Amino acid sequence: MVGRSHVLTSVPADGGRGVIVAESPFYPLDPFWPDQPGDVGYLQSDGLEMRVVDCVTGAARKSGGELLLGVDVPVRRGHPDWHWVVVHVVERSVPPGTEIRMLVETDRRRAFSAGHTASHLTALALNAALAGRWEAPAGTERDGLGHPDVAASGAVKSRIVLNGSVDTYRFPGLAAETLPDVAKDMEARLTAWIDSAAPVVVDAAGPDLGDRRVWRCALPDGTAARPCGGTHVNHLGELGRVAVTLEPAEAGDELLVEVRTS
Ligand SMILES: [Zn+2]
């Protein structure tokens, strides 16, 4: 992925400098739900090449005030009273106005996009597989496929990895002996969905980092949608083969759900 832009400013960031540009193809880590790592890559200008070692979210109050980075931003990404920016962490500052070429490390991004799409699909497969095997708490909303969305209500943590994800959920009372059947059920559903090569779209309310985004996928058994600021594949056929592992986490009621695609 390549972009062109000009530098607006540089701020101190992670022991180096955080370069902010007018428009960026880089994906920055969301500090409030840090599931997908920020992009890495290069900024190039007049024979100069700088490695982007990380990419984070920055924000400043629209009413004025300093730019805050990452977890120092006190509100959730997208808060309308704040102006949101992509911060490219490099070794040294670049003068404002400098025209730059921006290169995102494509293979890594593609692998995280596959992992992120797989994570959402896995949540849907988990909802489907647990329906009838575990009683959802009263009032649990239903997902786009009509199953209680226990993946949303039970989510503790999500970590997108290259071509997969490791998600932690809380399902009090789920019997450990059912886990192999649940995993098999999930794999069968995921395989069928991937075989359908259904398109994946991310609808954005606007071009800014803070604009609301919704992930949508028209699966053979219904259309699924959920708010998501991450990156994704264009269609499920890109995911290939899939393997699911379920295991109880250290903390009693927690379940680790790991999915890998290849
Ligand atoms: Zn997401």
Side-chain angles (χ1 to χ4, degrees):
M1 286 183 95
V2 181
R4 280 180 191 282
S5 193
H6 60 274
V7 174
L8 298 177
T9 186
S10 307
V11 296
D14 280 351
R17 299 295 292 182
V19 174
I20 295 158
V21 303
E23 202 179 323
S24 175
F26 280 69
Y27 172 78
L29 179 80
D30 179 351
F32 261 86
W33 187 251
D35 55 353
Q36 181 177 341
D39 282 333
V40 299
Y42 293 94
L43 304 184
Q44 295 174 333
S45 160
D46 280 343
L48 191 74
E49 183 170 81
M50 279 164 295
R51 174 92 179 139
V52 177
V53 295
D54 196 8
C55 196
V56 299
T57 300
R61 278 180 205 278
K62 284 180 178 167
S63 58
E66 63 173 329
L67 180 75
L68 303 176
L69 302 190
V71 292
D72 290 339
V73 182
V75 292
R76 216 187 162 94
R77 189 153 91 186
H79 191 293
D81 294 344
W82 292 67
H83 177 61
W84 298 87
V85 294
V86 179
V87 182
H88 312 80
V89 181
V90 298
E91 244 179 31
R92 55 183 179 276
S93 58
V94 190
T98 306
E99 296 289 331
I100 51 168
R101 194 163 173 255
M102 317 181 70
L103 292 94
V104 176
E105 206 170 286
T106 308
D107 289 350
R108 181 176 177 276
R109 157 69 83 81
R110 199 178 287 133
F112 279 133
S113 294
H116 205 139
T117 302
S119 174
H120 287 201
L121 284 186
T122 301
L124 292 164
L126 185 64
N127 289 342
L130 286 188
R133 288 189 170 103
W134 183 72
E135 198 173 337
T140 303
E141 289 191 16
R142 296 195 173 248
D143 65 22
L145 310 188
H147 303 113
D149 198 353
V150 294
S153 60
V156 175
K157 191 168 82 174
S158 177
R159 191 161 58 88
I160 310 298
V161 298
L162 300 173
N163 298 304
S165 71
V166 182
D167 298 331
T168 310
Y169 296 95
R170 238 189 123 249
F171 298 124
L174 176 64
E177 55 271 24
T178 66
L179 297 185
D181 283 347
V182 173
K184 229 184 263 168
D185 185 330
M186 289 172 68
E187 259 180 21
R189 289 172 196 273
L190 288 166
T191 301
W193 291 341
I194 291 168
D195 286 349
S196 79
V200 175
V201 290
V202 177
D203 290 328
D208 293 338
L209 180 60
D211 288 327
R212 184 179 156 83
R213 286 170 168 72
V214 177
W215 175 89
R216 253 179 250 286
C217 185
L219 295 165
D221 23 356
T223 295
R226 60 181 281 180
C228 178
T231 70
H232 292 275
V233 297
N234 294 316
H235 68 85
L236 300 187
E238 294 177 44
L239 298 182
R241 290 157 59 109
V242 68
V244 174
T245 317
L246 303 184
E247 55 182 64
E250 289 158 38
D253 291 334
E254 290 187 358
L255 178 68
L256 267 186
V257 177
E258 187 172 338
V259 63
R260 299 279 169 176
T261 64
S262 56

